[in-house]
Each structure stands twice: as C-alpha cells, then as structure tokens.
Amino acid sequence: MSAKIAPTNRDHKWVYLFSEGNTKMKQLLGGKGANVAEMTNIGLPVPPGFTITTECCNAFYDYNRQFPEGMWSQAQASLKALEKQTKREFGNPKKPLLVSVRSGASISMPGMMDTVLNLGLNDETVVGLAKQTKNERFAYDAYRRFISMFGHIVMGVSSERFDFVLDRFKAQTIGGKDTDLSVAQLKDIITAYKNIIFAHFHGEPFPQDPLDQLRMAISAVFESWMRRRAIDYRRIHRIPDTLGTAVNVQAMVFGNMGDTSGTGVCFTRNPSTGKNDIYGEYLLNAQGEDVVAGTRTPRKITKLARELPLVYAQLTEIIDKLETHYGDMQDIEFTVENGKLWILQTRTGKRTGTAAVRIAVEMVEEGMISQKDAVLRVDADLLNQLLHPTIDPRANVPTLTSGLPASPGAATGQVSFDPDEADELSQSGTPVILVRHETSPDDFHGMASAKAILTARGGMTSHAAVVARGMGTPCIVGAGALKLDYEAGIAVVGKVEIRAGDWITVDGSTGNVLLGKVATIQPELDKSFKKLMSWADEIREMQVRTNADNGADALVAREFGAEGIGLCRTEHMFMGEERLAIMREMILAEDRGSREKALDKLLPIQRQDFIEIFKAMAGYPVTIRLIDPPLHEFLPDHEHLTLEITDLKLKMRDAGSVAEMDSILKMLAEKNELLLQVERLRESNPMLGHRGCRLGLVYPEVTEMQARAIFQAACELRSRGLEIVPEVMVPLISTVKELENQRAIIEDVAKEVMNSYGTQYTYKIGTMIETPRAALTADKVAAQADFFSFGTNDLTQTTFGLSRDDSTRFLPSYIKSGILPADPFQVLDTEGVGQLVRLGTDRGRTTKPDLKVGICGEHGGEPQSVWFCNEAGLDYVSCSPYRVPIARLAAAQATLRKQSA
C-alpha cells in the first residue's frame, strides 16, 4: 500500500519548511502553505510543519501516481527538522510526534480535498501519548479518530461502516455523545475499526509504521485532486486542472484534551452579510472535523469570551492583525490546547455576493483598500446572488421548520434525498432541493445541481454552508426538527411527512423551510451596491447594453444601468395566439399580395411594440434585429400535426351526424393543407437554411414591413419630444451583397416614412457577424455597415460546426475529459471564435476607423468573455437585463487588468 518513487531530478526542491515560505509563493506552496508560512514569519502561534509543492502533485500524475525522485528524502529531512522544533520523535512511543496531512491548492477549494489528522498513532505510540499527556481518554479518542479517518480517506473504506460502530457505542452512554465514551469503550471501538479494515482488505491489517502512514496519506491527498468532487468544483469555478494541490504536514495540536481545549473556525467579518463583526463557531473538547462535519452542534464564537476569556482576547487581536495584514476578510481555523491558542491556517474567506460588495465598499471607507481594489475584489459573477428572488412577505404559507440561514436567496424545488438522483433530475430540467442529514464532499455533484440545500445537522461553517455560499446556492443547515429516512425517502417534522418529489421552498436568508411553491419578490439593491457600481462605471471603457424584446424588460435593464439595447429580437414579438395566427397567414400566403395583406395586420402590432421599447430606452441607442429564425418555427411541429391528422381520421369513424362529419372533414382539410406547407418549408439543417437576411432577400416585403414599423414608431415618439436612436440590424449575412440589398430597402422605407411625418433624424444600419465568412470579409462588409454586432451564439455554432441544441448531449463529456476548458456557448472560445471577433473588428476598422463594434450573445454577460471583448477593442457588450450589473463590473475589471498588464 506504500507509494512508489518515480525517476526525476533528485536535486529539485520539492519540500519547504514553513519558515522558508511566504505569501508570494502561493502558486508553488498553495494558499494554505503560503499563508501558514507567512503567519510563521510574522510571529503568530502556528504549529511548525512543511509543505510539499504543487509541482510535486503534477509530477505525481506525470509519473503514473508515483512520487518524484528526491521528494521522499526531502520530506524525511523536513520531518527531522520538525522533530527538533517540537522535541518529539515520529514513531517514538515515549514522546511521539503526531502530524496532520492537509491539502492546499493555490485557489481555495474548501471541503473538496482530503485531510488526515493524528497521523503517527499506532498501538505503541497511543500508549506513549496517554502517558505523556496523563490523559488516557484523550489518547484513545485521538486513535479511534485517526483509524476511521485514515481508513476512509486513505484506504477507501466507507465512512458509514465506522459511523455505525460509533453510533452503537454512543447509544450505550447516558448523554449519547462521543465525549461521553469511556476509555474502555474507545478501546473496543478501536478494535472494531481495525476488524473492519482487516476484513475489507482480506486479512491485511491497519498499517502500524508511521512512515508508511505518512507516505500513504501524502499520496491520498494528491489523489484527492482528481476525485470527482474536486473536478466538479473546478469545472464550476473554472479552476485549471494543471494547478495541482500542495500537501501540508503540520505538527498536531489537540483540541480534544478537555474543557480548556477546543477547536473552531471564524471569519473576520460575516461571510453572509458582510457585517464587520467576528463570526464563527467553536467546540470545546473537540477536533477540527467535528465543527465542519456537523456531527456536533457548535457554539457561536462570541460565547468563547465567557468560557475561555484570555483565549478569546488573543484570538480577536490576531483576527484584527490578519485582516490588516492581508487587506481582506479572512477565514481562520484555530485550536486551543490546554488553554494555549494555535492558528492552523488563514485564507481569504469565501463570501456571498451581498457580503462581497459590502466588505469591499466598507474597506474603502475604512481606508484599508482603494476604490480600484474594491472593484477588482468582487467576483463579478457573485453579483448574480444580489439579484436572487426572496420570499414574498405577503405569502400566507405555513413554515415547515427552520434552521440556520447559511446562504441567502430563495428557491423552490422537489425534494431529493440522494445527490445522484438530484443531479439526474436537475439535468432533466426538474428543480431540486437536496435534503441531507449533513453533506460531505462526496455529495458535491448533487449540491452543485440543486436549487437549494437543506440539512438537518451542521452549523454556519459546516461543509454544506461553506460550499453553498461559494456557489451562491440558497442553503439552510441545522434544521434539527427534520427527521430523515433515506431508505424510505421520507422526511418527518412533527406530524408532517415530506416525501421525495414533494415541493418545498427554502429561504436561505431567514432559515425558514416552507411547504409547497411560494411566491417570491425581486431584491432591492442597497447603497453599497450602488456605490461599487458607480466606481465601476467611472473606470470602465466599454458600454453595457441589454438584450430586450419588450418595454418591461428594457425598463428593468435600464434600472440595472443598461446604456441602450444591443439586441431586440423581433421574432419574439410574433409569439402569442393572435399574432401567431397572422404570422402563419403571412407564411402560408401564395403570392406577394396575400403576404402583404397579412403583413399590414402585423404592422401596427410591431409598431406599438417598438414604441414601448423606444420609450423605455429614450436617449439611448436601440438595436433592432430584423426577423432571424426560419419560417417553419412559426408553424406547428410536423410530428404533432401528423398525430392530429391521424386523430381526426379516427374520429370520422365515430361521427354521430352529418354535421359532425362535415366539421371533421373541414378541420382535416385545413390540417392537411397546413401539413403540406410545413413539409414545403421543412429543412434538413434549418439553422443554416432559409433564415436571417435570406428571408428578406426572398420576401423583401417582410423587411419593408419591419423597417416601416421601426421608423414610424421612432417618428411618433420624436413628435412627442423624446430622443430616439434607432439602429436596424440585418442578421446572418455571409456576403456584402446581402447587406447591400437589405440596406437599400431599409433606406427607402426610412426616407418614405420620415417624409410622411415631415421630420428627419439620424439612424444606423448595421449587421450581425455570425458566420466565419462575414468575419473574414469584414473589410468589405464594413463598406455597407454603420456598426457590427458579433452574434457569438451563432458564430460559435458555425465556427465549431456544433449545434447548440444537439451538442448538450456530448459537450459535458468534452469538458469533463478536458477536451474543452468550458462550454463554448457559455464562455467565449477566445482561441477560435475570439480570433474571428478580433480579426473581424480589425478588418472592419481598416475600412471605417470609427466603426462601432459590440457583441450581443449571452457571452456579453459572462466576465471572462467581457474581459476578452475589452481587450479586443469592442465598444460595447450586450446581455440579458439581470446580467447587466455583472457586465458593468466585469468591464471595469477588464480596464484595470489592461492598465496593469
């Protein structure tokens, strides 16, 4: 079971003592290793140790999961230095040195990788530890913890097998807690644990050699870098697989030595609200995993002031020192051993969007950071959380139970008790609430898929709470009244029974769990948000517009700071029973005259829609895209229509009268005629077929009607004194001749309409760049265009040769296997699609240096894509209304990144 050694450069430095590192070495030592080194160097009470580098992790995988040559000898040398510092010896029964083995990537991934505590214990050293500490119960409690942790994490034995034994022995005590176990019971538990491992490995005993234990634990931490939960976390947070994790080997200090010992986690500010108060939890007579695992209910950190006042005073002093030193909110782990405080680690604390904004703004006001630092400090994607709905206070819905409000926001979904089931249901489109006793890292895939998370146990720093806050998922923990039966698929609260599939609503802001579906309201953005956004707007160079197809959406976007509309999809205006009927009449018309009659009915409808949009965005440009999708999308589905015809034919046999038969025959004739038209318009590949500008070329009367509606709406509002800035966008061109043809039609209509109203105003005609050919010939296209807007959704399809709809079946496997770093329909592919954007922009501006260029796919609200657009010299991005604040902040960050490059 021991790890192997791979041949590499034996002189390469793989291992650093804490005294040799600092916070600037985060890429090499990982965040945890760099920070404990920094704390050591500034004189804080940190248990000594050493760090095995992230480079070693990558070498471990490069050499087929073997340690690189030189690493193990360096680790042994560092272990000797650790023995000298602690005056203890690894494996010596008389004065045993015990260590923890922890992961630590350069980007924090809380709860995703493995930790082993109390390593170095065996049947001999446990006796020595008991004599050394004069505390036999402590020593055997540490040993039983070590065997179960090592057996599960390193040896792969199910933790439930150990939990079953522990629960059985706890049930025999009066208090029912692990702290109530006697020494004799602890020894029996240890024997039972060893038997579990012996049986699991078919006669191979639990390893007794501490050096073997250390080698195996280091290997297990490296292995945890590529476990599913860690991979899933990196995919969601877009963390590269190549970073690797460091391994930190640190001398153990013990929080389970009695009532003057303990362990805890605290934040220098509230990670949910951002309030400038110490926030956290602790347990006396416990080890670190007891706090985060949720197996015991921890106490609020402020109560430590009464129980251990000197320790609390020292802790608050260190908290202030660390926040000032790092200039950011810190997440700190500590242990108290017989009244002495030890700081185990500090890291930049994960926080909600609300907290991130408030902390950044208040730190500026406190003089800790600059406005630019504040803008860079807030993850733009976190702003999504500020826009989450909350429970409508007028909703008269019974509260099922309540717990701790661990992560804000409200969500409704169907109950699932199993993370695998939750993941499957979510992928099929079902909103899910994951309900568990408590979560573990193995549940991560289900947590990531769930709309909200609810646990019966755990505190505000439990695994569920920390992970949910990092993802922005509503979460309630410690709902103690919730009694779960996984096998039966039932949760019981008092007399109320909730089954898998039942609907509940979780309010992560209040901690209330509500029965059924509950109405929600949109949040109000506070002064901290507005202040941060004002700083971002002063910094950013790019404009931010919105994609909106109606006046209501346009108003919402304007409230969020949109500076115009970058994409109004006119085809969405034809949806609705009355409008769709007229649209079908136009499609089914046999000649131009009949089509124009139908278009005359659509004209006033479109005009009124444009009036509402122009009014909402008065003073700002409004880019209206002419009809884009293929016409068959407005007709009934072929398969559905065929089934209707078959059904009518069956009804003919049962017709009870001549009148009923005549009615069926009439409907049958209409359906057959409609089916013929559907088949006539049917295409093998409609996304590359008769759509976009090609519709306007074949049916110029459609372009005329839409242009007339646009310019009439603009003229009417201008006559009322409003400033209207219309921009007409021709979709899906591949050649400049297509744009030239459509531009001539639009200009003729504009001239006619403005003359009829007796007014003149400036407007623009541009095009969407959605095909590689359009981008490659952008210098020619620009001669006929006043602006370009890159339609990156279709440009991604045509560049990759991927169907956006059909590729969902295999793209996840591409991402999981590393073929693609991210879904190219969510994050702009800068290597391929991005180069076409850059090339098209540059070539277009060789013809027209002042050519306005933007993008209008949903990439316009994705931070990494916004950063690229700024770098490529685009004038604006456009995105959905609720992503406008994200784009504003990301655009400012892009400007600052460029300035610092």
Side-chain angles (χ1 to χ4, degrees):
M1 289 190 286
S2 61
K4 297 177 181 178
I5 305 297
T8 50
N9 180 5
R10 69 172 63 203
D11 297 324
H12 187 84
K13 188 168 178 61
W14 301 107
V15 182
Y16 289 75
L17 293 170
F18 288 171
S19 58
E20 296 178 302
N22 59 62
T23 192
K24 295 179 182 178
M25 300 171 69
K26 189 174 287 189
Q27 291 298 319
L28 182 66
L29 302 181
K32 190 174 298 180
N35 284 334
V36 292
E38 185 76 7
M39 289 192 296
T40 298
N41 293 330
I42 64 174
L44 295 186
V46 178
F50 57 89
T51 300
I52 302 169
T53 66
T54 57
E55 289 180 342
C56 189
C57 178
N58 288 325
F60 177 80
Y61 285 102
D62 288 342
Y63 289 94
N64 195 27
R65 290 173 162 78
Q66 299 177 62
F67 292 160
E69 191 173 7
M71 184 279 274
W72 183 241
S73 60
Q74 290 177 35
Q76 288 178 295
S78 297
L79 193 60
K80 290 293 182 186
L82 194 55
E83 289 176 335
K84 189 174 181 180
Q85 286 177 283
T86 60
K87 297 181 174 57
R88 299 174 186 171
E89 293 181 19
F90 198 57
N92 185 332
K94 294 182 180 179
K95 46 182 180 179
L97 168 65
L98 305 185
V99 298
S100 63
V101 181
R102 303 172 187 264
S103 62
S106 59
I107 298 175
S108 178
M109 296 171 56
M112 293 302 113
M113 290 178 290
D114 290 331
T115 294
V116 179
L117 304 180
N118 307 326
L119 190 140
L121 281 173
N122 58 25
D123 293 346
E124 294 181 348
T125 55
V126 69
V127 176
L129 183 65
K131 289 179 180 178
Q132 184 185 28
T133 60
K134 298 182 176 60
N135 191 335
E136 190 178 23
R137 192 200 174 283
F138 150 72
Y140 283 93
D141 181 57
Y143 194 23
R144 69 94 184 162
R145 290 169 182 270
F146 171 57
I147 294 173
S148 64
M149 188 176 280
F150 191 93
H152 172 55
I153 290 171
V154 180
M155 304 181 77
V157 181
S158 170
S159 61
E160 292 179 357
R161 299 186 66 183
F162 299 118
D163 291 343
F164 179 80
V165 171
L166 182 62
D167 288 343
R168 181 160 53 86
F169 277 90
K170 285 196 298 184
Q172 298 169 15
T173 67
I174 295 174
K177 301 193 295 286
D178 56 351
T179 51
D180 298 319
L181 295 166
S182 67
V183 172
Q185 287 175 312
L186 288 169
K187 290 180 177 179
D188 288 342
I189 290 170
I190 289 166
T191 300
Y193 282 0
K194 287 182 184 176
N195 289 337
I196 289 171
I197 291 170
F198 188 83
H200 184 85
F201 286 97
H202 306 292
E204 188 169 348
F206 181 79
Q208 292 289 309
D209 184 342
L211 283 175
D212 277 347
Q213 293 173 0
L214 181 60
R215 287 162 65 115
M216 292 169 68
I218 293 169
S219 183
V221 172
F222 284 152
E223 292 278 2
S224 71
W225 177 252
M226 293 305 290
R227 295 227 168 98
R228 176 177 175 176
R229 62 179 184 261
I231 293 171
D232 287 346
Y233 186 92
R234 292 198 295 275
R235 293 291 172 264
I236 289 173
H237 294 278
R238 296 168 191 161
I239 299 171
D241 289 338
T242 53
L243 292 181
T245 183
V247 178
N248 298 286
V249 179
Q250 190 172 27
M252 280 295 303
V253 288
F254 300 97
N256 58 329
M257 293 187 72
D259 290 337
T260 60
S261 301
T263 187
V265 177
C266 64
F267 295 81
T268 57
R269 304 190 187 215
N270 189 307
S272 288
T273 67
K275 188 177 180 182
N276 190 2
D277 283 335
I278 183 173
Y279 175 96
E281 296 169 324
Y282 73 99
L283 284 169
L284 293 183
N285 196 17
Q287 287 198 310
E289 75 270 19
D290 295 327
V291 177
V292 297
T295 51
R296 287 168 59 187
T297 301
R299 303 171 190 177
K300 288 186 177 180
I301 194 71
T302 49
K303 291 185 177 179
L304 187 62
R306 293 198 299 270
E307 296 191 299
L308 297 172
L310 294 178
V311 169
Y312 185 76
Q314 186 185 6
L315 178 63
T316 54
E317 184 182 333
I318 288 173
I319 282 171
D320 290 340
K321 186 173 184 177
L322 284 172
E323 184 173 272
T324 301
H325 183 81
Y326 285 99
D328 201 355
M329 185 263 275
Q330 294 296 291
D331 171 2
I332 301 163
E333 291 183 20
F334 66 90
T335 286
V336 183
E337 182 182 88
N338 290 327
K340 179 174 175 55
L341 175 66
W342 295 93
I343 304 299
L344 304 185
Q345 76 157 323
T346 188
R347 60 189 173 197
T348 299
K350 296 289 183 183
R351 63 205 77 179
T352 64
T354 299
V357 171
R358 179 173 176 176
I359 290 169
V361 170
E362 290 187 356
M363 282 187 168
V364 172
E365 294 170 346
E366 293 162 16
M368 291 182 65
I369 61 175
S370 68
Q371 291 180 6
K372 289 182 178 179
D373 289 332
V375 167
L376 287 169
R377 179 74 53 84
V378 179
D379 182 343
D381 268 330
L382 280 180
L383 295 187
N384 234 344
Q385 298 176 24
L386 276 69
L387 311 175
H388 283 175
T390 55
I391 299 296
D392 188 337
R394 296 167 296 182
N396 185 20
V397 180
T399 298
L400 173 66
T401 187
S402 61
L404 300 173
S407 184
T412 295
Q414 292 182 317
V415 169
S416 174
F417 300 104
D418 179 75
D420 291 330
E421 178 191 63
D423 189 36
E424 290 173 9
L425 288 170
S426 178
Q427 290 185 27
S428 69
T430 302
V432 175
I433 308 292
L434 180 64
V435 182
R436 303 285 285 167
H437 287 301
E438 69 260 348
T439 63
S440 73
D442 291 331
D443 297 336
F444 180 72
H445 59 296
M447 299 171 72
S449 299
K451 294 293 183 185
I453 299 161
L454 170 63
T455 69
R457 300 197 286 258
M460 298 292 277
T461 53
S462 64
H463 178 267
V466 172
V467 172
R469 279 197 297 269
M471 295 190 299
T473 301
C475 177
I476 296 172
V477 299
L482 205 61
K483 308 301 179 188
L484 306 183
D485 184 336
Y486 288 160
E487 288 189 10
I490 295 173
V492 178
V493 179
K495 296 181 179 180
V496 180
E497 209 172 74
I498 303 296
R499 294 185 174 274
D502 287 350
W503 289 86
I504 62 171
T505 298
V506 165
D507 186 352
S509 301
T510 65
N512 290 332
V513 182
L514 310 172
L515 286 168
K517 301 178 183 179
V518 182
T520 58
I521 57 173
Q522 298 304 320
E524 293 183 11
L525 301 173
D526 63 18
K527 62 180 182 180
S528 293
F529 172 83
K530 292 172 183 174
K531 188 170 285 189
L532 182 73
M533 287 293 101
S534 70
W535 297 339
D537 290 341
E538 289 171 9
I539 293 167
R540 65 184 168 89
E541 299 167 336
M542 282 195 306
Q543 288 186 324
V544 177
R545 299 191 189 183
T546 191
N547 302 338
D549 312 322
N550 57 67
D553 285 352
L555 284 171
V556 169
R558 188 158 185 167
E559 285 185 12
F560 285 145
E563 300 159 302
I565 291 178
L567 175 61
C568 173
R569 303 173 178 90
T570 55
E571 61 271 8
H572 288 182
M573 299 172 178
F574 299 134
M575 298 304 176
E577 192 172 342
E578 181 185 352
R579 298 175 179 212
L580 193 56
I582 302 171
M583 189 65 182
R584 287 177 177 173
E585 180 185 337
M586 187 275 292
I587 294 169
L588 298 176
E590 295 182 357
D591 53 53
R592 176 164 182 157
S594 301
R595 271 192 302 277
E596 287 179 340
K597 285 181 181 179
L599 290 169
D600 287 343
K601 297 177 186 177
L602 286 173
L603 175 62
I605 296 172
Q606 282 249 286
R607 181 173 60 235
Q608 186 57 40
D609 288 337
F610 293 143
I611 285 173
E612 295 301 320
I613 290 170
F614 283 142
K615 276 168 55 180
M617 278 294 168
Y620 287 117
V622 175
T623 303
I624 298 170
R625 182 181 72 185
L626 301 181
I627 188 169
D628 181 50
L631 293 178
H632 75 83
E633 288 195 9
F634 299 98
L635 297 176
D637 176 71
H638 183 276
E639 184 178 349
H640 181 72
L641 200 53
T642 303
L643 289 172
E644 283 187 333
I645 289 170
T646 302
D647 188 50
L648 284 171
K649 288 178 178 178
L650 291 173
K651 285 181 178 179
M652 287 174 62
R653 295 185 305 184
D654 302 323
S657 65
V658 173
E660 185 179 356
M661 177 64 78
D662 288 344
S663 175
I664 293 172
L665 287 171
K666 182 181 179 182
M667 285 191 289
L668 191 60
E670 291 172 354
K671 296 291 184 183
N672 277 320
E673 178 61 27
L674 190 55
L675 181 62
L676 287 173
Q677 297 295 341
V678 168
E679 289 176 342
R680 178 176 65 84
L681 294 171
R682 202 175 185 186
E683 296 176 297
S684 298
N685 194 344
M687 296 312 293
L688 297 178
H690 192 198
R691 55 169 291 216
C693 68
R694 299 157 196 170
L695 291 171
L697 266 78
V698 175
Y699 304 122
E701 56 272 22
V702 175
T703 301
E704 290 171 5
M705 183 278 289
Q706 291 200 289
R708 185 166 283 106
I710 292 167
F711 292 113
Q712 285 180 355
C715 286
E716 286 194 20
L717 290 177
R718 287 181 66 85
S719 69
R720 302 179 203 172
L722 295 178
E723 183 186 353
I724 305 302
V725 189
E727 298 181 347
V728 184
M729 185 158 65
V730 179
L732 204 73
I733 67 116
S734 296
T735 169
V736 67
K737 289 292 184 181
E738 291 170 319
L739 180 56
E740 185 179 358
N741 172 284
Q742 293 293 283
R743 183 180 185 105
I745 295 172
I746 296 164
E747 287 178 333
D748 287 345
V749 172
K751 183 177 180 181
E752 175 196 327
V753 171
M754 284 192 280
N755 285 341
S756 68
Y757 277 83
T759 184
Q760 294 293 318
Y761 54 85
T762 302
Y763 63 90
K764 294 182 185 295
I765 300 173
T767 187
M768 289 185 83
I769 305 295
E770 302 170 90
T771 66
R773 191 182 193 283
L776 292 168
T777 61
D779 52 338
K780 295 181 175 63
V781 174
Q784 292 292 324
D786 300 325
F787 66 89
F788 284 172
S789 180
F790 285 91
T792 50
N793 295 339
D794 272 330
L795 188 58
T796 298
Q797 287 197 107
T798 53
T799 302
F800 272 95
L802 283 174
S803 163
R804 181 173 46 191
D805 298 324
D806 297 328
S807 61
T808 55
R809 287 179 290 187
F810 59 84
L811 268 183
S813 64
Y814 268 50
I815 296 163
K816 187 174 182 180
S817 60
I819 294 172
L820 289 174
D823 184 335
F825 294 107
Q826 295 179 17
V827 182
L828 188 67
D829 163 47
T830 57
E831 289 185 352
V833 178
Q835 295 314 304
L836 286 173
V837 171
R838 196 187 297 274
L839 182 146
T841 300
D842 293 343
R843 289 190 179 179
R845 286 176 176 162
T846 60
T847 301
K848 287 185 178 175
D850 60 347
L851 183 72
K852 184 167 63 175
V853 182
I855 71 165
C856 60
E858 275 307 303
H859 293 113
E862 194 283 315
Q864 291 183 38
S865 307
V866 173
W867 297 343
F868 171 82
C869 291
N870 188 79
E871 183 190 324
L874 272 61
D875 297 295
Y876 70 88
V877 295
S878 187
C879 56
S880 62
Y882 285 92
R883 294 197 72 83
V884 166
I886 296 169
R888 289 165 63 195
L889 183 59
Q893 292 170 342
T895 298
L896 293 173
R897 284 159 55 99
K898 188 166 69 173
Q899 290 173 356
S900 63

